[in-house]
């Protein structure tokens, strides 16, 4: 394999950001576990939901790179890593083609998911609309005249699509019922995913401010954004805890508490370290902390029913 091919392959991997996929998958796993807890499980629906979530995450990653490159937001002086487009290894035309292919694959996977899972016409139409909105949200985060990621609305989008919709949507498509209690773990998943975005934006706060990318971190300021980060992590633990108190009533339901010391240490680190350059290592730790918390919740949910 030539050096050029290696360089091009690495450039696309940097833009695809495969390390972000497990967090998208985690919400589907939580939703599937909640459906199983209610006595329903459909392997076909679960697998298709995982594929669709992964494609939407990839679409969001590619669109983010394209939008930031077009607007000139990602410059060599930023703390975060430069991606393939910023390094000149991927052209605008190539990224456009990649976006079109990913949109097509997302539509195909999402349509197949709905066709396999739906039971009523209302479900079919409703999830087609939600799927369309998910694709639009993934693209317009940084693309367009007024991308919402530049307006400080990225956090609510992550909470909505990587929390509420992913968890409750995947659960509903298998159980075909939606109990109010599912809102709590769905919110917890969304808060943990939002914490990952918040750390990313804390890292890039200076370059984002300079380039007119008014993320919520930029709007809140460095101190309040760090307090907000602690609230996201602790809020997720609170949601899982209240769900156990109201719905599981099992000691196994508290298994997620094993991740609490890790999340508390992360919150303290973010509150203490005021230099944006200290945030890159915390980004990976936040992802791992979120995955561990979700996994422990799922294991506790399963054990609460079988034990």
């Amino acid at each position: 394999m030539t050096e050029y091919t290696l360089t091009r392959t690495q450039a696309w991997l940097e833009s695809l950001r495969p390390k972000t996929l497990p967090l998208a998958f985690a919400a589907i796993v939580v939703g599937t576990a909640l459906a199983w807890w209610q006595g329903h499980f459909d392997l076909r629906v679960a697998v298709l939901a995982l594929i669709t979530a992964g494609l939407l995450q990839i679409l969001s990653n590619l669109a983010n790179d394209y939008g930031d490159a077009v607007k000139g937001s990602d410059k060599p002086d930023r703390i975060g890593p430069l991606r393939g487009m910023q390094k000149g290894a991927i052209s605008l035309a190539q990224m456009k083609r990649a976006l079109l292919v990913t949109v097509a694959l997302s539509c195909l996977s999402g349509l197949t998911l709905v066709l396999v899972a739906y039971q009523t016409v209302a479900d079919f139409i409703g999830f087609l609309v939600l799927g369309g909105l998910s694709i639009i949200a993934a693209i317009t985060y940084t693309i367009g005249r007024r991308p919402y990621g530049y307006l400080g609305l990225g956090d609510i989008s992550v909470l909505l699509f990587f929390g509420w919709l992913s968890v409750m949507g995947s659960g509903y498509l298998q159980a075909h019922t939606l109990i109010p209690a599912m809102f709590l773990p769905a919110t917890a998943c969304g808060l943990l995913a939002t914490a990952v975005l918040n750390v990313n934006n804390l890292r890039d706060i200076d370059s984002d401010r300079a380039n007119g990318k008014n993320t919520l971190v930029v709007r809140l300021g460095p101190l309040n954004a760090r307090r907000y980060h602690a609230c996201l992590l602790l809020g997720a633990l609170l949601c899982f805890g209240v769900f156990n108190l109201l719905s599981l009533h099992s000691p196994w339901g508290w298994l997620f508490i094993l991740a609490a010391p890790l999340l508390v240490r992360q919150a303290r680190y973010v509150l203490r370290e005021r230099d944006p350059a200290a945030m890159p290592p915390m980004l990976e730790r936040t992802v791992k902390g979120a995955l561990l918390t979700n996994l422990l919740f799922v294991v506790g949910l399963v054990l609460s029913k079988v034990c």
Side-chain angles (χ1 to χ4, degrees):
M1 187 176 290
T2 64
E3 181 179 356
Y4 173 82
T5 304
L6 285 173
T7 301
R8 181 58 56 84
T9 300
Q10 184 59 39
W12 279 109
L13 285 175
E14 288 176 350
S15 291
L16 291 172
R17 305 182 209 179
K19 291 182 179 180
T20 64
L21 295 180
L23 203 56
F25 295 152
I28 304 300
V29 172
V30 171
T32 298
L34 287 166
W36 176 86
W37 173 67
Q38 296 175 74
H40 303 274
F41 173 71
D42 189 319
L43 180 60
R44 297 175 305 163
V45 173
V47 171
L48 285 168
L50 285 170
I51 294 172
T52 303
L55 288 169
L56 288 172
Q57 179 64 60
I58 289 172
L59 176 61
S60 177
N61 294 339
L62 295 178
N64 185 47
D65 281 10
Y66 180 87
D68 283 344
V70 169
K71 292 176 173 58
S73 301
D74 288 348
K75 297 179 179 178
D77 60 347
R78 72 191 293 264
I79 296 174
L82 294 178
R83 307 294 178 181
M85 291 191 69
Q86 290 75 35
K87 292 178 179 178
I90 301 173
S91 68
L92 287 176
Q94 289 170 331
M95 186 58 80
K96 281 183 179 180
R97 286 195 293 269
L99 285 169
L100 290 174
V101 169
T102 310
V103 167
L105 291 174
S106 299
C107 290
L108 177 62
S109 178
L111 180 59
T112 304
L113 170 61
V114 175
L115 287 172
V116 168
Y118 89 98
Q119 289 188 347
T120 68
V121 174
D123 285 351
F124 182 79
I125 296 175
F127 276 93
L128 280 185
V129 172
L130 290 173
L133 290 175
S134 298
I135 292 174
I136 292 172
I139 294 173
T140 57
Y141 179 70
T142 59
I143 294 178
R145 292 185 177 181
R146 292 181 61 82
Y148 66 88
Y150 282 62
L151 301 175
L153 300 176
D155 294 59
I156 188 62
S157 176
V158 169
L159 175 61
L160 174 61
F161 290 101
F162 290 91
W164 298 336
L165 181 57
S166 292
V167 174
M168 293 192 289
S170 59
Y172 178 84
L173 286 173
Q174 294 177 71
H176 295 284
T177 185
L178 201 60
I179 61 174
M182 288 179 66
F183 180 78
L184 289 166
T187 300
C189 285
L191 292 176
L192 291 170
T194 304
V196 174
L197 175 64
N198 193 62
V199 169
N200 181 81
N201 290 340
L202 277 169
R203 179 196 66 190
D204 297 334
I205 183 173
D206 292 332
S207 60
D208 284 346
R209 184 189 295 114
N211 290 287
K213 189 175 183 179
N214 295 315
T215 63
L216 187 58
V217 167
V218 172
R219 292 182 179 277
L220 290 176
L223 178 58
N224 286 332
R226 283 167 167 77
R227 292 170 176 167
Y228 166 65
H229 186 79
C231 290
L232 290 172
L233 297 178
L234 298 179
L237 294 174
L238 179 62
C239 287
F240 280 139
V242 173
F243 177 80
N244 185 44
L245 288 173
L246 296 178
S247 301
L248 293 186
H249 313 294
S250 168
W252 291 114
W254 295 104
L255 198 61
F256 72 91
I257 287 294
L258 294 176
L262 177 62
L263 298 187
V264 169
R265 283 199 301 270
Q266 291 176 359
R268 292 179 63 185
Y269 178 91
V270 171
L271 286 169
R272 182 178 68 249
E273 299 295 333
R274 301 300 176 85
D275 188 351
M279 290 301 107
M282 185 51 57
L283 184 58
E284 183 176 353
R285 295 175 197 170
T286 305
V287 171
K288 291 180 177 178
L291 291 174
L292 177 62
T293 307
N294 287 327
L295 177 61
L296 288 173
F297 170 76
V298 168
V299 172
L301 188 69
V302 171
L303 292 177
S304 70
K305 187 170 183 177
V306 301
C307 295

